[in-house]
Amino acid sequence: MEYVTLNNGIKMPMEGFGVFQVPDPSQCEQAVLDAISSGYRLIDTAAAYMNEEAVGNAIAKSGVAREELFVTTKLWVQDSSYEGAKAAIETSLKKLGLDYLDLYLLHQPMGDYIGAYRAMEEAYKEGKLKAIGVCNFYPARLADLCETVDVIPAVNQVELHPFFQQENALALMKSYGVCPEAWGPFAEGNHGIFTHPVLTKIGEKYGKSAAQVALRWNVQRGVVVIPKSVHKERMEQNIDIWDFTLDENDMAQIGTLDIGHSEIVNHDDPEFAKMLHGLKIHD
């Protein structure tokens, strides 16, 4: 495993395990246990995934020392305010059974996210959060936030995969010292990514799958990846990307796959914003 040093000096694994869309408590707990036993040390959850307690149970049962794990969770839109974030941070810590979080992220650039970020800055300075950051902050939003707050986000978790490469967004993140992290590194299975001819052919040179090539391509761009699976053999394959390096020609070929936009979500759609505000995760 390789690590990236965040802008505050904290080291973060460059590959982690995500638990999005695994709300069943027993399945989620087992998946996290399997991931940790497979070598994952970065676990990524969110209040909105409704599985923080299951993740916490798995961490407690894993037998791995707390300081060896890098645990991330996220603030939901419903709690996007100063007071809302203060309460939500405590709720997440309680559900996870932890004294601190390694990384805490704004899940969406919605609501009073500046107020929420102020609360995150306070919790960061108190040591409850070792690093703070954002998700889904596209260039203009990220620039606005960075020019407004005191603590520059350590991470921006956005959609990054061979079909939506976001080179301009990566350049802006680099200029501010923000580490990019990829959700949906497999494009949610779109474009036949697991059997894509370009990725498959490149993989054949190294004895790797198309999926492994897609992950390796992102980490070589300096992007942290958090693939998800509930199947242990797939988890083991996903983490087996640290014994080969794509060459310049490989990277260039993958560069041609970019279609320049998301086919998963449109953050500029007003109806999408309304939907996120309408999604309540607690009373």
Side-chain angles (χ1 to χ4, degrees):
M1 178 62 65
E2 294 177 10
Y3 289 76
V4 61
T5 300
L6 301 179
N7 59 19
N8 64 351
I10 298 292
K11 289 189 180 297
M12 177 180 180
M14 288 206 70
E15 184 172 12
F17 181 73
V19 294
F20 177 51
Q21 296 175 324
V22 193
D24 178 77
S26 59
Q27 185 183 42
C28 181
E29 183 177 319
Q30 187 58 54
V32 174
L33 282 168
D34 287 344
I36 292 173
S37 71
S38 299
Y40 292 87
R41 292 296 178 263
L42 163 58
I43 307 298
D44 180 276
T45 184
Y49 299 169
M50 309 301 287
N51 56 19
E52 287 176 313
E53 288 171 313
V55 170
N57 290 339
I59 289 170
K61 293 177 181 178
S62 70
V64 174
R66 171 67 184 95
E67 59 269 20
E68 291 184 28
L69 297 172
F70 192 101
V71 183
T72 302
T73 193
K74 311 178 189 80
L75 178 82
W76 186 238
V77 177
Q78 182 181 0
D79 298 314
S80 191
S81 66
Y82 176 77
E83 292 297 337
K86 285 180 70 173
I89 290 166
E90 297 301 326
T91 298
S92 286
L93 285 168
K94 185 176 180 180
K95 286 186 174 182
L96 285 159
L98 301 176
D99 296 325
Y100 68 90
L101 293 162
D102 298 278
L103 179 63
Y104 192 73
L105 304 174
L106 286 172
H107 206 150
Q108 299 284 349
M110 307 268 177
D112 178 17
Y113 60 81
I114 296 294
Y117 199 85
R118 297 293 189 205
M120 290 164 58
E121 288 179 320
E122 289 182 8
Y124 169 70
K125 291 170 184 175
E126 293 168 1
K128 292 178 182 177
L129 311 176
K130 299 300 182 183
I132 56 177
V134 296
C135 301
N136 301 304
F137 272 60
Y138 288 83
R141 291 274 58 78
L142 182 65
D144 178 50
L145 184 80
C146 290
E147 295 294 334
T148 303
V149 299
D150 295 328
V151 179
I152 297 295
V155 169
N156 186 15
Q157 187 182 117
V158 297
E159 180 185 349
L160 292 165
H161 50 73
F163 310 105
F164 190 33
Q165 301 185 10
Q166 299 214 67
E167 292 292 346
N168 289 341
L170 292 182
L172 182 77
M173 289 184 221
K174 185 176 181 180
S175 74
Y176 279 109
V178 179
C179 176
E181 184 176 22
W183 65 254
F186 294 139
E188 302 292 331
N190 292 333
H191 294 274
I193 189 169
F194 299 115
T195 56
H196 194 281
V198 171
L199 301 175
T200 298
K201 186 174 181 181
I202 292 171
E204 287 172 354
K205 295 197 305 184
Y206 306 101
K208 298 293 181 178
S209 68
Q212 289 168 320
V213 169
L215 293 174
R216 183 68 203 181
W217 165 81
N218 245 334
V219 299
Q220 284 186 211
R221 300 197 303 159
V223 176
V224 175
V225 291
I226 44 170
K228 63 180 188 288
S229 177
V230 295
H231 304 291
K232 189 172 184 181
E233 64 179 40
R234 186 65 60 79
M235 296 177 196
E236 292 170 345
Q237 291 170 7
N238 289 342
I239 204 171
D240 185 23
I241 62 168
W242 302 103
D243 60 350
F244 76 110
T245 302
L246 300 174
D247 62 31
E248 290 183 9
N249 185 53
D250 301 328
M251 297 293 284
Q253 286 186 64
I254 297 170
T256 67
L257 302 180
D258 189 16
I259 63 171
H261 64 271
S262 174
E263 292 186 328
I264 298 172
V265 63
N266 179 7
H267 285 89
D268 293 324
D269 182 359
E271 293 305 315
F272 179 68
K274 291 179 186 178
M275 183 272 289
L276 293 184
H277 275 279
L279 258 176
K280 306 301 183 184
I281 64 172
H282 59 77
D283 294 333

